[in-house]
Amino acid sequence: MKVIELHKSVTESNDRDAEKLRRELRQQGVLLINVMSSAGSGKTTLLSRIIRDLGKELRIAVLEADIDAQVDAERIAALGARSIQVHTDGMCHMDAGMTRRGLEEMGLAETDLAFLENIGNLICPAEYDTGAGKKLMILSVPEGDDKPLKYPLMFRESDVLVVTKIDALPYFNFDLEKLVERVHHLNPAIRIYPVSAKTGEGMEALEAWLREAVREWKVPAQL
Amino acid sequence: MKYNVIEVKERVIADNDRVAAAQRARLQEKGIYFINLMGSPGAGKTSVLIRTIEALRNRFRIAVMEADVDSAVDAETISRLGVPVIQLHTAGLCHMDADMTARGIEALMEQEQGAPFDILILENIGNLVCPAEFDVGAAKRVMILSVPEGDDKPLKYPLMFEVSDVVLVNKIDTKEIFDFDEERFRENVRMRNPQAEIFPLSARTGEGMEAWFAWLAQEAERGVRK
């Protein structure tokens, strides 16, 4: 009981911090995308591909969150993009305060698009607003088409679902149509992009969406 | 604020360890061999479990506790095999702790009206982070990593590999497709946990499953004799 109450008050004050961070990022014209998925679904590989494809037209930075390692930040830095590694010290998610500290440390001058590569799992990151402008989740083909049934909150919360490793479709019993149906049942507004970061299949559509999202974000907010 | 959270967490974990130790002793006395099965979503926990039940059900009375955030998909799958199963919901929490597990075991025993079993398997919540932190009172912790997740996972989720007695490497039949370097993976695991038993296998093709069945049967027999 106690644990649950604590958790609630933490998420409430987190929501306020997140809203504030999002407003500030909007004023600076930086679109922050919260990238969430299971461990090993291909977050870093997808981001590497996007940096290679869009790195010349958009100024991209990456905030790498991990429990304890820095393999990912090293991979991103090798591509020449600005990146920083944040350690959560065992916690399974990033919250708005941790995200703000990470961004401040990294610096956002001359940035159009920033990715937060969240901790790898489908549960805790879904519960915490980080202040990002968009939430993007990844599901890889080997994880199975039944995941929306088991982790509904993550699918409900996300603006975009990227289905990765579609080059492996022939090897797995994965029904893309059934997945789309299950996801739309939970979240009719979500955009779904099936891609393979390895072969490049489907990347164009996803990257077109990214360009448009960055452009829209830079238009001063109405009201 | 961050400091507060950590203090609470530590207190919770200390309490948890006491409850877990008591649970472990109780089950050992009853001759029930209890396994905590962990892994990412989609690593193949349920598939490996199904194969294991099919292979060992004639020698052991097996019961299963399915833990999930919010669904009953896995319990339904397991119940079709005709073994005792119970579904536990964590209401959004990303792990099972010792107390939740104790309540699950109690409910399972009540459901089965005291019918005895030899092997009890908890299929934990799917992720490599939180379940590693909580002792649930199991005799052994078994984790599954699937080949598509990558051979670098021991570097990124060290605690899970440190606390696991057994690492099952599932979907080994897709090794070539995913450039999974088995030797590098073994090295990464050994760096974290030199004692861990590693079984590469495929629940789909059956490759490597025998070695895992043999290990579990031997362990369970030792537990049952006690």
Short mmCIF file of all heavy atoms in Angstrom, two decimals, chain A residues 87-144:
data_model
loop_
_atom_site.label_atom_id
_atom_site.label_comp_id
_atom_site.label_asym_id
_atom_site.label_seq_id
_atom_site.Cartn_x
_atom_site.Cartn_y
_atom_site.Cartn_z
N HIS A 87 23.03 7.40 -16.42
CA HIS A 87 22.84 6.16 -15.67
C HIS A 87 21.71 6.33 -14.66
O HIS A 87 21.69 7.32 -13.93
CB HIS A 87 24.12 5.76 -14.93
CG HIS A 87 25.13 5.17 -15.84
ND1 HIS A 87 26.43 4.95 -15.47
CD2 HIS A 87 25.03 4.73 -17.11
CE1 HIS A 87 27.09 4.42 -16.48
NE2 HIS A 87 26.27 4.28 -17.48
N THR A 88 20.80 5.38 -14.61
CA THR A 88 19.66 5.51 -13.69
C THR A 88 19.91 4.77 -12.38
O THR A 88 19.04 4.74 -11.53
CB THR A 88 18.37 4.95 -14.31
OG1 THR A 88 18.58 3.56 -14.58
CG2 THR A 88 18.03 5.68 -15.59
N ASP A 89 21.07 4.14 -12.25
CA ASP A 89 21.41 3.48 -11.00
C ASP A 89 20.35 2.44 -10.61
O ASP A 89 19.84 2.46 -9.49
CB ASP A 89 21.56 4.54 -9.90
CG ASP A 89 22.19 3.96 -8.65
OD1 ASP A 89 22.93 2.98 -8.78
OD2 ASP A 89 21.92 4.49 -7.56
N GLY A 90 20.00 1.60 -11.54
CA GLY A 90 19.08 0.50 -11.23
C GLY A 90 17.63 0.78 -11.50
O GLY A 90 16.81 -0.13 -11.52
N MET A 91 17.26 2.05 -11.70
CA MET A 91 15.85 2.36 -11.95
C MET A 91 15.49 1.98 -13.39
O MET A 91 16.28 2.12 -14.30
CB MET A 91 15.57 3.84 -11.71
CG MET A 91 15.62 4.17 -10.24
SD MET A 91 15.12 5.85 -9.95
CE MET A 91 13.37 5.62 -9.83
N CYS A 92 14.23 1.56 -13.58
CA CYS A 92 13.85 0.99 -14.87
C CYS A 92 13.18 2.02 -15.80
O CYS A 92 12.57 1.65 -16.78
CB CYS A 92 12.95 -0.22 -14.68
SG CYS A 92 11.50 0.11 -13.68
N HIS A 93 13.28 3.29 -15.47
CA HIS A 93 12.67 4.30 -16.34
C HIS A 93 13.42 5.62 -16.20
O HIS A 93 14.21 5.80 -15.27
CB HIS A 93 11.21 4.54 -15.93
CG HIS A 93 11.11 5.13 -14.56
ND1 HIS A 93 11.07 4.35 -13.42
CD2 HIS A 93 11.11 6.41 -14.14
CE1 HIS A 93 11.02 5.14 -12.36
NE2 HIS A 93 11.05 6.40 -12.76
N MET A 94 13.14 6.56 -17.10
CA MET A 94 13.60 7.94 -16.97
C MET A 94 12.38 8.77 -16.60
O MET A 94 11.30 8.56 -17.13
CB MET A 94 14.15 8.44 -18.30
CG MET A 94 15.49 7.88 -18.69
SD MET A 94 16.85 8.59 -17.71
CE MET A 94 16.96 10.24 -18.43
N ASP A 95 12.55 9.74 -15.70
CA ASP A 95 11.46 10.68 -15.43
C ASP A 95 11.85 12.06 -15.96
O ASP A 95 12.93 12.23 -16.55
CB ASP A 95 11.07 10.69 -13.95
CG ASP A 95 12.20 11.20 -13.05
OD1 ASP A 95 13.12 11.85 -13.56
OD2 ASP A 95 12.14 10.93 -11.84
N ALA A 96 10.98 13.06 -15.75
CA ALA A 96 11.21 14.38 -16.33
C ALA A 96 12.44 15.06 -15.73
O ALA A 96 13.21 15.70 -16.44
CB ALA A 96 9.96 15.25 -16.13
N GLY A 97 12.63 14.89 -14.41
CA GLY A 97 13.78 15.51 -13.76
C GLY A 97 15.10 14.96 -14.27
O GLY A 97 16.05 15.69 -14.54
N MET A 98 15.17 13.64 -14.41
CA MET A 98 16.38 13.01 -14.91
C MET A 98 16.64 13.42 -16.36
O MET A 98 17.78 13.65 -16.76
CB MET A 98 16.23 11.48 -14.84
CG MET A 98 16.20 10.93 -13.41
SD MET A 98 15.22 9.39 -13.29
CE MET A 98 16.45 8.21 -13.72
N THR A 99 15.55 13.55 -17.13
CA THR A 99 15.69 13.93 -18.54
C THR A 99 16.23 15.37 -18.63
O THR A 99 17.13 15.66 -19.41
CB THR A 99 14.33 13.83 -19.26
OG1 THR A 99 13.83 12.51 -19.08
CG2 THR A 99 14.47 14.13 -20.74
N ARG A 100 15.66 16.25 -17.81
CA ARG A 100 16.12 17.65 -17.81
C ARG A 100 17.61 17.72 -17.49
O ARG A 100 18.37 18.40 -18.17
CB ARG A 100 15.32 18.48 -16.80
CG ARG A 100 15.84 19.90 -16.64
CD ARG A 100 15.12 20.65 -15.54
NE ARG A 100 13.74 20.95 -15.90
CZ ARG A 100 13.38 21.99 -16.65
NH1 ARG A 100 14.29 22.80 -17.12
NH2 ARG A 100 12.11 22.20 -16.92
N ARG A 101 18.03 17.00 -16.44
CA ARG A 101 19.44 17.04 -16.06
C ARG A 101 20.34 16.52 -17.19
O ARG A 101 21.38 17.08 -17.47
CB ARG A 101 19.68 16.24 -14.78
CG ARG A 101 19.67 17.12 -13.53
CD ARG A 101 19.76 16.31 -12.27
NE ARG A 101 18.47 15.69 -11.99
CZ ARG A 101 18.30 14.56 -11.33
NH1 ARG A 101 19.35 13.88 -10.91
NH2 ARG A 101 17.10 14.09 -11.11
N GLY A 102 19.88 15.44 -17.84
CA GLY A 102 20.64 14.88 -18.95
C GLY A 102 20.78 15.87 -20.09
O GLY A 102 21.87 16.06 -20.65
N LEU A 103 19.67 16.54 -20.44
CA LEU A 103 19.68 17.50 -21.56
C LEU A 103 20.56 18.70 -21.23
O LEU A 103 21.30 19.20 -22.08
CB LEU A 103 18.25 17.97 -21.88
CG LEU A 103 17.30 16.91 -22.46
CD1 LEU A 103 15.90 17.49 -22.60
CD2 LEU A 103 17.81 16.39 -23.81
N GLU A 104 20.50 19.16 -19.97
CA GLU A 104 21.32 20.30 -19.57
C GLU A 104 22.80 19.97 -19.66
O GLU A 104 23.61 20.76 -20.11
CB GLU A 104 20.96 20.74 -18.13
CG GLU A 104 19.72 21.64 -18.10
CD GLU A 104 19.18 21.86 -16.70
OE1 GLU A 104 19.81 21.40 -15.73
OE2 GLU A 104 18.11 22.49 -16.59
N GLU A 105 23.11 18.75 -19.25
CA GLU A 105 24.49 18.28 -19.29
C GLU A 105 24.99 18.21 -20.74
O GLU A 105 26.12 18.57 -21.05
CB GLU A 105 24.54 16.89 -18.64
CG GLU A 105 25.91 16.41 -18.24
CD GLU A 105 26.49 17.23 -17.10
OE1 GLU A 105 25.74 17.64 -16.17
OE2 GLU A 105 27.70 17.49 -17.15
N MET A 106 24.12 17.74 -21.61
CA MET A 106 24.50 17.54 -23.02
C MET A 106 24.53 18.88 -23.76
O MET A 106 25.38 19.11 -24.61
CB MET A 106 23.51 16.58 -23.69
CG MET A 106 23.85 16.25 -25.14
SD MET A 106 22.82 14.91 -25.77
CE MET A 106 21.24 15.72 -25.92
N GLY A 107 23.58 19.76 -23.43
CA GLY A 107 23.46 21.04 -24.13
C GLY A 107 22.62 20.87 -25.39
O GLY A 107 22.76 19.88 -26.10
N LEU A 108 21.72 21.84 -25.63
CA LEU A 108 20.79 21.70 -26.76
C LEU A 108 20.96 22.79 -27.81
O LEU A 108 20.13 22.95 -28.70
CB LEU A 108 19.35 21.70 -26.25
CG LEU A 108 18.90 20.39 -25.59
CD1 LEU A 108 17.51 20.56 -25.00
CD2 LEU A 108 18.93 19.24 -26.59
N ALA A 109 22.05 23.57 -27.72
CA ALA A 109 22.26 24.62 -28.72
C ALA A 109 22.38 23.96 -30.10
O ALA A 109 22.97 22.88 -30.23
CB ALA A 109 23.52 25.39 -28.39
N GLU A 110 21.80 24.58 -31.10
CA GLU A 110 21.88 24.07 -32.48
C GLU A 110 21.42 22.62 -32.59
O GLU A 110 22.10 21.77 -33.15
CB GLU A 110 23.32 24.20 -32.99
CG GLU A 110 23.78 25.64 -32.96
CD GLU A 110 25.05 25.87 -33.76
OE1 GLU A 110 25.71 24.87 -34.09
OE2 GLU A 110 25.34 27.03 -34.05
N THR A 111 20.26 22.37 -32.01
CA THR A 111 19.67 21.03 -32.11
C THR A 111 18.25 21.16 -32.64
O THR A 111 17.48 22.01 -32.19
CB THR A 111 19.63 20.34 -30.74
OG1 THR A 111 20.96 20.31 -30.20
CG2 THR A 111 19.10 18.92 -30.83
N ASP A 112 17.90 20.33 -33.64
CA ASP A 112 16.52 20.30 -34.14
C ASP A 112 15.75 19.13 -33.53
O ASP A 112 14.57 19.22 -33.22
CB ASP A 112 16.51 20.10 -35.67
CG ASP A 112 17.33 21.16 -36.38
OD1 ASP A 112 17.06 22.35 -36.14
OD2 ASP A 112 18.22 20.80 -37.17
N LEU A 113 16.47 18.04 -33.40
CA LEU A 113 15.81 16.79 -33.02
C LEU A 113 16.67 16.09 -31.98
O LEU A 113 17.86 15.85 -32.20
CB LEU A 113 15.67 15.91 -34.28
CG LEU A 113 15.11 14.51 -34.14
CD1 LEU A 113 13.69 14.53 -33.58
CD2 LEU A 113 15.11 13.81 -35.51
N ALA A 114 16.07 15.78 -30.82
CA ALA A 114 16.81 15.05 -29.79
C ALA A 114 16.04 13.77 -29.47
O ALA A 114 14.82 13.78 -29.37
CB ALA A 114 16.96 15.90 -28.54
N PHE A 115 16.77 12.69 -29.37
CA PHE A 115 16.15 11.42 -28.98
C PHE A 115 16.55 11.09 -27.56
O PHE A 115 17.72 11.24 -27.20
CB PHE A 115 16.63 10.28 -29.89
CG PHE A 115 16.13 10.36 -31.29
CD1 PHE A 115 16.97 10.79 -32.32
CD2 PHE A 115 14.82 10.01 -31.59
CE1 PHE A 115 16.51 10.84 -33.63
CE2 PHE A 115 14.36 10.07 -32.90
CZ PHE A 115 15.20 10.50 -33.92
N LEU A 116 15.59 10.66 -26.78
CA LEU A 116 15.89 10.06 -25.49
C LEU A 116 15.75 8.55 -25.67
O LEU A 116 14.65 8.05 -25.91
CB LEU A 116 14.91 10.54 -24.42
CG LEU A 116 14.84 9.70 -23.14
CD1 LEU A 116 16.17 9.69 -22.41
CD2 LEU A 116 13.74 10.20 -22.21
N GLU A 117 16.86 7.83 -25.64
CA GLU A 117 16.76 6.38 -25.71
C GLU A 117 16.54 5.88 -24.29
O GLU A 117 17.45 5.84 -23.47
CB GLU A 117 18.02 5.76 -26.33
CG GLU A 117 17.85 4.27 -26.54
CD GLU A 117 19.03 3.58 -27.22
OE1 GLU A 117 19.77 4.22 -27.99
OE2 GLU A 117 19.19 2.37 -26.98
N ASN A 118 15.30 5.52 -24.00
CA ASN A 118 14.89 5.17 -22.64
C ASN A 118 15.41 3.78 -22.24
O ASN A 118 15.93 3.06 -23.06
CB ASN A 118 13.35 5.22 -22.57
CG ASN A 118 12.85 5.71 -21.22
OD1 ASN A 118 13.36 5.30 -20.19
ND2 ASN A 118 11.86 6.57 -21.23
N ILE A 119 15.25 3.43 -20.98
CA ILE A 119 15.67 2.11 -20.47
C ILE A 119 14.86 1.02 -21.18
O ILE A 119 13.66 1.18 -21.41
CB ILE A 119 15.40 2.02 -18.96
CG1 ILE A 119 16.02 3.21 -18.22
CG2 ILE A 119 15.90 0.71 -18.39
CD1 ILE A 119 17.50 3.19 -18.14
N GLY A 120 15.54 -0.08 -21.49
CA GLY A 120 14.90 -1.14 -22.27
C GLY A 120 13.91 -2.00 -21.51
O GLY A 120 14.29 -3.00 -20.92
N ASN A 121 12.65 -1.61 -21.52
CA ASN A 121 11.57 -2.49 -21.08
C ASN A 121 10.24 -1.84 -21.42
O ASN A 121 10.17 -0.64 -21.68
CB ASN A 121 11.67 -2.85 -19.59
CG ASN A 121 11.22 -1.74 -18.67
OD1 ASN A 121 10.04 -1.62 -18.36
ND2 ASN A 121 12.16 -0.92 -18.24
N LEU A 122 9.16 -2.62 -21.45
CA LEU A 122 7.88 -2.11 -21.94
C LEU A 122 6.95 -1.66 -20.81
O LEU A 122 5.80 -1.34 -21.05
CB LEU A 122 7.17 -3.20 -22.77
CG LEU A 122 7.83 -3.62 -24.07
CD1 LEU A 122 7.06 -4.76 -24.73
CD2 LEU A 122 7.93 -2.44 -25.03
N ILE A 123 7.46 -1.63 -19.58
CA ILE A 123 6.55 -1.37 -18.48
C ILE A 123 6.75 0.03 -17.88
O ILE A 123 5.97 0.94 -18.12
CB ILE A 123 6.69 -2.44 -17.39
CG1 ILE A 123 6.48 -3.82 -18.04
CG2 ILE A 123 5.68 -2.23 -16.28
CD1 ILE A 123 6.87 -4.96 -17.18
N CYS A 124 7.83 0.20 -17.11
CA CYS A 124 8.00 1.45 -16.36
C CYS A 124 8.09 2.69 -17.25
O CYS A 124 7.50 3.72 -16.90
CB CYS A 124 9.21 1.39 -15.44
SG CYS A 124 9.79 -0.25 -15.01
N PRO A 125 8.84 2.66 -18.36
CA PRO A 125 8.94 3.90 -19.15
C PRO A 125 7.57 4.42 -19.61
O PRO A 125 7.39 5.62 -19.79
CB PRO A 125 9.80 3.50 -20.34
CG PRO A 125 10.63 2.37 -19.84
CD PRO A 125 9.70 1.61 -18.93
N ALA A 126 6.61 3.52 -19.78
CA ALA A 126 5.28 3.94 -20.25
C ALA A 126 4.57 4.81 -19.21
O ALA A 126 3.71 5.61 -19.54
CB ALA A 126 4.42 2.71 -20.54
N GLU A 127 4.95 4.67 -17.95
CA GLU A 127 4.24 5.36 -16.87
C GLU A 127 4.75 6.77 -16.62
O GLU A 127 4.10 7.55 -15.93
CB GLU A 127 4.37 4.57 -15.57
CG GLU A 127 3.69 3.23 -15.63
CD GLU A 127 3.83 2.51 -14.30
OE1 GLU A 127 3.85 3.17 -13.24
OE2 GLU A 127 3.95 1.28 -14.33
N TYR A 128 5.91 7.10 -17.13
CA TYR A 128 6.53 8.39 -16.80
C TYR A 128 6.62 9.31 -18.01
O TYR A 128 7.28 8.99 -18.99
CB TYR A 128 7.92 8.18 -16.22
CG TYR A 128 7.86 7.65 -14.81
CD1 TYR A 128 7.69 6.28 -14.58
CD2 TYR A 128 7.92 8.51 -13.73
CE1 TYR A 128 7.60 5.80 -13.29
CE2 TYR A 128 7.84 8.03 -12.44
CZ TYR A 128 7.67 6.67 -12.22
OH TYR A 128 7.59 6.20 -10.95
N ASP A 129 5.96 10.46 -17.91
CA ASP A 129 6.11 11.51 -18.91
C ASP A 129 7.49 12.13 -18.70
O ASP A 129 7.83 12.55 -17.60
CB ASP A 129 5.01 12.56 -18.68
CG ASP A 129 4.94 13.56 -19.81
OD1 ASP A 129 5.89 13.62 -20.62
OD2 ASP A 129 3.94 14.30 -19.86
N THR A 130 8.29 12.16 -19.76
CA THR A 130 9.65 12.69 -19.64
C THR A 130 9.73 14.15 -20.09
O THR A 130 10.80 14.76 -19.99
CB THR A 130 10.63 11.89 -20.51
OG1 THR A 130 10.18 11.98 -21.88
CG2 THR A 130 10.70 10.44 -20.10
N GLY A 131 8.63 14.65 -20.63
CA GLY A 131 8.65 16.00 -21.18
C GLY A 131 8.89 16.01 -22.68
O GLY A 131 9.03 17.06 -23.30
N ALA A 132 8.96 14.82 -23.27
CA ALA A 132 9.21 14.72 -24.71
C ALA A 132 7.99 15.22 -25.49
O ALA A 132 6.86 15.16 -25.01
CB ALA A 132 9.51 13.27 -25.08
N GLY A 133 8.23 15.70 -26.70
CA GLY A 133 7.15 16.15 -27.58
C GLY A 133 6.40 15.00 -28.19
O GLY A 133 5.20 15.08 -28.44
N LYS A 134 7.11 13.91 -28.46
CA LYS A 134 6.48 12.72 -29.04
C LYS A 134 7.01 11.47 -28.34
O LYS A 134 8.16 11.44 -27.90
CB LYS A 134 6.81 12.60 -30.54
CG LYS A 134 6.33 13.75 -31.39
CD LYS A 134 4.87 13.61 -31.75
CE LYS A 134 4.44 14.81 -32.60
NZ LYS A 134 2.98 14.95 -32.65
N LYS A 135 6.16 10.45 -28.30
CA LYS A 135 6.59 9.15 -27.77
C LYS A 135 6.61 8.14 -28.91
O LYS A 135 5.60 7.97 -29.60
CB LYS A 135 5.64 8.67 -26.68
CG LYS A 135 5.59 9.58 -25.48
CD LYS A 135 4.64 9.01 -24.43
CE LYS A 135 4.34 10.07 -23.39
NZ LYS A 135 3.35 9.60 -22.41
N LEU A 136 7.75 7.52 -29.07
CA LEU A 136 7.90 6.53 -30.13
C LEU A 136 8.27 5.19 -29.50
O LEU A 136 9.21 5.13 -28.71
CB LEU A 136 9.00 7.00 -31.09
CG LEU A 136 9.33 6.18 -32.33
CD1 LEU A 136 9.92 7.10 -33.41
CD2 LEU A 136 10.32 5.07 -32.05
N MET A 137 7.52 4.16 -29.80
CA MET A 137 7.90 2.86 -29.27
C MET A 137 8.31 1.92 -30.38
O MET A 137 7.90 2.06 -31.53
CB MET A 137 6.78 2.22 -28.44
CG MET A 137 5.62 1.68 -29.24
SD MET A 137 4.59 0.54 -28.25
CE MET A 137 5.69 -0.88 -28.07
N ILE A 138 9.16 0.97 -30.03
CA ILE A 138 9.64 -0.01 -30.99
C ILE A 138 9.21 -1.39 -30.52
O ILE A 138 9.32 -1.71 -29.34
CB ILE A 138 11.18 0.03 -31.08
CG1 ILE A 138 11.64 1.41 -31.55
CG2 ILE A 138 11.70 -1.05 -32.01
CD1 ILE A 138 13.16 1.55 -31.58
N LEU A 139 8.69 -2.17 -31.46
CA LEU A 139 8.48 -3.59 -31.19
C LEU A 139 9.19 -4.34 -32.31
O LEU A 139 9.01 -4.01 -33.48
CB LEU A 139 6.99 -3.94 -31.21
CG LEU A 139 6.71 -5.41 -30.89
CD1 LEU A 139 6.69 -5.65 -29.39
CD2 LEU A 139 5.41 -5.89 -31.51
N SER A 140 10.02 -5.31 -31.96
CA SER A 140 10.71 -6.06 -33.00
C SER A 140 9.96 -7.36 -33.28
O SER A 140 9.32 -7.92 -32.39
CB SER A 140 12.15 -6.35 -32.59
OG SER A 140 12.17 -7.21 -31.47
N VAL A 141 10.07 -7.81 -34.51
CA VAL A 141 9.35 -9.01 -34.95
C VAL A 141 9.58 -10.22 -34.02
O VAL A 141 8.62 -10.90 -33.65
CB VAL A 141 9.71 -9.33 -36.42
CG1 VAL A 141 9.32 -10.76 -36.80
CG2 VAL A 141 9.04 -8.31 -37.34
N PRO A 142 10.84 -10.50 -33.59
CA PRO A 142 11.02 -11.69 -32.75
C PRO A 142 10.28 -11.63 -31.41
O PRO A 142 10.09 -12.66 -30.77
CB PRO A 142 12.54 -11.73 -32.52
CG PRO A 142 13.11 -10.93 -33.64
CD PRO A 142 12.11 -9.86 -33.94
N GLU A 143 9.88 -10.46 -30.97
CA GLU A 143 9.17 -10.37 -29.68
C GLU A 143 7.76 -10.93 -29.74
O GLU A 143 7.19 -11.31 -28.72
CB GLU A 143 9.10 -8.91 -29.21
CG GLU A 143 10.44 -8.34 -28.83
CD GLU A 143 10.35 -6.85 -28.57
OE1 GLU A 143 9.70 -6.45 -27.60
OE2 GLU A 143 10.93 -6.08 -29.36
N GLY A 144 7.16 -10.94 -30.93
CA GLY A 144 5.84 -11.56 -31.07
C GLY A 144 4.71 -10.56 -31.25
O GLY A 144 4.77 -9.45 -30.73
#
